Every structure is written in C-alpha cells, then in structure tokens.
C-alpha cells in the first residue's frame, strides 16, 4: 500500500509558508492520494501531476501559457510510455518529496524593509542526496522550481551521478540589489531553510543570478547552525573549498557534446554556424569552447540585444567588452550588427542554435521561424512540448537539457567528493573526468535512440527513469 502523508511543519520561526512531504510505502498494491495540505489556502495547487493524456493540439493548444512542470511531465510521460511504466510508479517518480516556500525579508541600504519569496523543492532522493541550483530571478515561482527540481533528478541519473534532484530560488532581480543586500538576502534565506539542507540530504549550487560569492555566503551562514562542512554546497570560490573547473564546467560540457553531436551528424566545425542565446556563465564558456574548436559563432544575445556578424563574431573581443560592463552585459558593443533581443531565434543562417538563458523560449508561436538543424539545450527547459514535436517532425536534432548541460552538476559532484576527502584535484583531472562522464552519457543516449528509434530526449529520459525506478525498487519504494 502506498501512503501519502501531508504535513505542515515550521522549520524555523518566522517565514515558512507551507511545506508538504510525501512518503511512499510499498506493499502489495500501489495507489496515490494527492497531497492537499496548504494551510495558507492561497498557495499554488499541490496537484503535481495531470492525468496521463495522449499528445494533442487540444492539450497544448496554447503552448505559450503551458506551465514548466507540465512540460517536464510531458517529456517524462513520452519516455514512460515507451517503458510501459504503470500509472502508480509514474506518480511516485514524478511527485516531489517536499516543497518549501519561505518569506525572505532584508533591510535595504535605504533602511526600508523588502520582502521576497524563496523556494526549495526536493524532488527525489532514490539515488542519493538531492542536488540542484539556486536561482535568483524575478520570474522564479513554485511551478518553475518544481519543474527544475524534477529535471535535476533525471539529469543526475542520465550522467549516472549518485544524486537525486532538487532546486531552489528567490523571486528577485539580483541586479536591483547592492552586494550587501544580496549577501543579506542569501543569509536570510539560509536562516529559513538550513534544516532541510545538508551534505547528505540536499546540496545546492549556482544557477541563473547566483555565483561563487553567493555560494560562499550560503555556506558560511549554514555553518553557523551546523558547524564546518564545506560539502554542504558546491560552486564555491576555488580558494574556499571550490573545485577548479566548476565555473567553466557547464559550458565545457555543452561545447564537448556539440562537437561530438555535429561530428556524428557529419557536419564540419567550420561549416556549422552557431547562435548562442545568453552570455552569462554558460553562454560565455560555451562560446569560448566552440570558438576554440573552430565553429563560427555568428550571433550571441543577452538581455540587452542580439550581437550578429554573418562572418563570425570575435568571441574574445566580446568577452573583453563584457568585462568592462556592469554584470558582464554586452551593452555598447558595436563591432558587429546589433539587433533586438528576440531576433537571434529567427536568424535564417544558423546551423546550430544554443539556448543558454531562460526556459520556455521556443514555443509554438516562434518555432516555425527557427532555421537551425541542430539545437543544443544549454538552458533548462528552453523548448516547450508542442515546439519540440514540430522540430522533431522537421528532422531537427535536439540534444536535451538533461544531458547537454549536465557538466555543471558533474563537476559539482567532483567538488563534493574532494570536500569530503579533504583533497584537491588538478584542473586537468577535473576536465578529463568531466569529458569522460559526458562522453559516456552521450554514447548511451545516442545508442538507445538508434535502437529504439526515438529522439535523443526520449532516450535520455528512458535511461534516467530506468535508473531512478531501479533505485526506488531496490529501496522498496516502488514495486
Ligand atoms: P547567468 O545568470 O550567468 O546568465 C544568464 C544570461 O542570459 C545573461 O547573459 C542574461 O543577460 C541572458 N538573458 C536573460 N534574458 C535574456 C533574453 N530574454 N534573451 C537573451 N538573453 C537573455 O545564468 P547561467 O548560469 O549562464 O544559466 C543559463 C541557463 O543555463 C539557465 O537556464 C540555467 O538553469 C542553465 N544552467 C546553468 C548551469 C550553471 O552551472 N550555471 C548549469 C546547468 C544549467
């Protein structure tokens, strides 16, 4: 029998709004009650899973308004159908173990109080401690964090790391805060969630809007409650127990697999014109890697515009310029054409498109204007299901996020291992192990996609679901 227990449990005085947890107890039959505890009465619905339905235009008629978690569920269900997974097992694997929403209040430099909403969603721990980034962005909400937490479960499984999945964030524009305010915000968030974070339970990392400084503040505040233990968080400054190569890791992984995929598809680097959406941590390192590998990078966008040169951009020049601008923006760069932000997606002369910024950017509304034959999902969830279906029908090869951007969590794992062993790896060793991990995962996904005649996304989900299901079976959580 499967039992679901929902509860309201304050973590620390003050800001907790609600929390629910699910406990699955395997017996001779599986059934699932949906969690219903939401004491505030006004929080988001806790129904985390829609009934399985066949893909239809009616279901996704307005793809633009589709919620992130529904999109993840659609990709999960497509793979689960191929695996003949029972409905009850799907429920256990898809529903998050715990969701937390907290109030985060700080004193602004002006002396005013400012209040924000913070989230941590712990999706699954069948394969090990839960792992996932912290995002500071104005559009962070529970649905998005839930979707990203679920993606982390499948991502750690597809690259075979001994982790589960989680995600967190705060609905805030970090650019609107001073460094002191950002630090105060991070410490106030830790005050609210430190009890559910730990090296053997849930290990955060950087994501959009957070970096090694934020990770350092997070660790310092957590250690005030729990004592010295740098393995509680990854992506820390290298001189403060961080790993060499962590900052470049996601971009390096994206670059490595883009080279591998284009070669596999019979495309030469020099003839594969690349466009990258986003020039933050992931976008810059991807651009550097591919430019060094002789790929012409003809367009790069950030929140300030699209920077375009059909003869190829000078990536080093762009990087030098961005370092002179607040928050690394490309504002004011004029050694190329400057187009509106959204122009990048509809450029006609692109072979490889790499979304490396926000989720949900390729939808039914703009999919027909995309010319690329290869899309590498450096961002999490950049393509919504209806657009994904159309791109597959058009023969576009998509390297899915759970594989393409797994380099970051892979080196986070190496950082955690080093912290636990009180030992340091060289940059060469980190890069070698990262390249090997990414290559092995790619080969597994590619081979299954060929054997089963499915997309790379469905193959990646099939591998990941099978690994999580097996772990849950061995633990007795599913039968
Ligand atoms: P970041 O905050 O360092 O950079 C984000 C970039 O996106 C910035 O250049 C910003 O200007 C740009 N941007 C914002 N809105 C845009 C728009 N509308 N059009 C074009 N560009 C826009 O974030 P990041 O760490 O590079 O993360 C980018 C993506 O990669 C996210 O989806 C994140 O979840 C994913 N990801 C990051 C990591 C990591 O290690 N940092 C790991 C895995 C996945």
């Amino acid at each position: 029998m499967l039992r679901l227990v929902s509860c309201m449990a304050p973590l620390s005085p003050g800001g907790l709004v609600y929390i629910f947890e699910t406990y699955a107890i395997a017996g001779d039959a599986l059934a699932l009650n949906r969690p219903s505890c939401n004491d505030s009465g006004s929080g988001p619905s806790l129904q985390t899973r829609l009934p399985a339905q066949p893909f239809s235009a009616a279901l996704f008629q307005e793809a633009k308004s589709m919620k992130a978690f529904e999109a993840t569920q659609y990709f999960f269900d497509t793979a689960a159908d191929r695996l003949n997974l029972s409905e009850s097992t799907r429920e256990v694997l898809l529903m998050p173990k715990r969701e937390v929403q907290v109030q985060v209040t700080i004193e602004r430099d002006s002396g005013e109080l400012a209040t924000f909403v913070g989230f941590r969603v712990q999706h699954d721990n069948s394969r090990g401690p839960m792992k996932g980034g912290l995002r500071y962005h104005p559009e962070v909400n529970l649905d998005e964090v839930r979707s990203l937490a679920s993606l982390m479960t499948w991502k750690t499984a597809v690259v075979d790391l001994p982790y589960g999945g989680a995600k967190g964030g705060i609905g805030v524009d970090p650019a609107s805060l001073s460094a002191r305010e950002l630090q105060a915000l991070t410490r106030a968030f830790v005050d609210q969630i430190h009890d559910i974070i730990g090296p053997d339970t849930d290990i955060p990392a950087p994501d959009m809007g957070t970096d090694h400084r934020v990770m350092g503040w997070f660790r310092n505040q957590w250690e005030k409650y729990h004592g010295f233990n740098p393995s509680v968080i990854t992506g820390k400054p290298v001189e403060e127990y961080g790993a060499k190569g962590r900052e470049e890791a996601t971009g390096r992984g994206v670059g490595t697999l883009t080279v591998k995929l284009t070669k596999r598809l019979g495309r030469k680097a020099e003839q594969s014109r690349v466009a990258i959406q986003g020039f933050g941590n992931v976008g810059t390192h991807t651009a550097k890697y591919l430019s060094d590998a002789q790929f012409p990078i003809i367009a790069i966008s950030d929140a300030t515009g699209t920077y375009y040169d059909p003869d190829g951009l000078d990536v080093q020049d762009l990087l030098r310029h961005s370092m002179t601008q607040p928050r690394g923006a490309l504002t004011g760069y004029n050694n190329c054409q400057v187009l509106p932000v959204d122009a990048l997606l509809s450029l006609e002369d692109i072979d490889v498109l790499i979304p490396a910024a926000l989720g949900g950017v390729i939808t039914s509304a703009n999919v027909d204007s995309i010319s690329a034959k290869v899309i590498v999902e450096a961002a999490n969830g950049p393509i919504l299901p209806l657009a994904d279906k159309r791109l597959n029908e058009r023969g576009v090869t998509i390297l899915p996020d759970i594989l393409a951007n797994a380099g970051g969590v892979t080196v986070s794992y190496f950082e955690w291992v080093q912290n636990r062993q009180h030992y340091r790896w060289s940059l060469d060793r980190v890069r070698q192990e990262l390249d090997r991990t990414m290559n092995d995962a790619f080969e597994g996904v590619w081979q299954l996609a060929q054997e089963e005649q499915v997309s790379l996304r469905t193959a990646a989900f099939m591998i990941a679901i099978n690994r999580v299901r097996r772990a849950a079976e061995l633990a007795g959580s599913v039968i």
Side-chain angles (χ1 to χ4, degrees), residues 135 155 206-209 246 250 277-283 301-303 341 356-358 378-380 405 408:
R135 179 176 288 198
K155 190 181 302 182
D207 193 69
M208 274 185 84
R246 171 61 185 89
T250 307
Q277 182 188 49
F279 203 55
N281 172 288
V282 180
S301 67
D302 72 0
V341 173
L358 302 167
N380 284 311
N405 70 31

Side-chain angles (χ1 to χ4, degrees), residues 294-355:
Q294 308 307 318
F295 283 72
I297 315 291
I298 65 160
I300 291 178
S301 67
D302 72 0
T304 69
T306 294
Y307 300 82
Y308 172 63
D309 185 339
D311 296 325
L313 292 162
D314 181 340
V315 171
Q316 287 301 338
D317 198 37
L318 279 158
L319 283 167
R320 269 193 300 274
H321 177 83
S322 74
M323 279 188 244
T324 66
Q325 299 300 309
R327 292 176 296 281
L330 289 170
T331 335
Y333 187 78
N334 52 18
N335 291 340
C336 66
Q337 295 178 47
V338 183
L339 308 172
V341 173
D342 291 339
L344 178 127
L345 291 175
S346 52
L347 290 170
E348 283 174 2
D349 47 354
I350 298 171
D351 300 298
V352 180
L353 173 62
I354 307 186

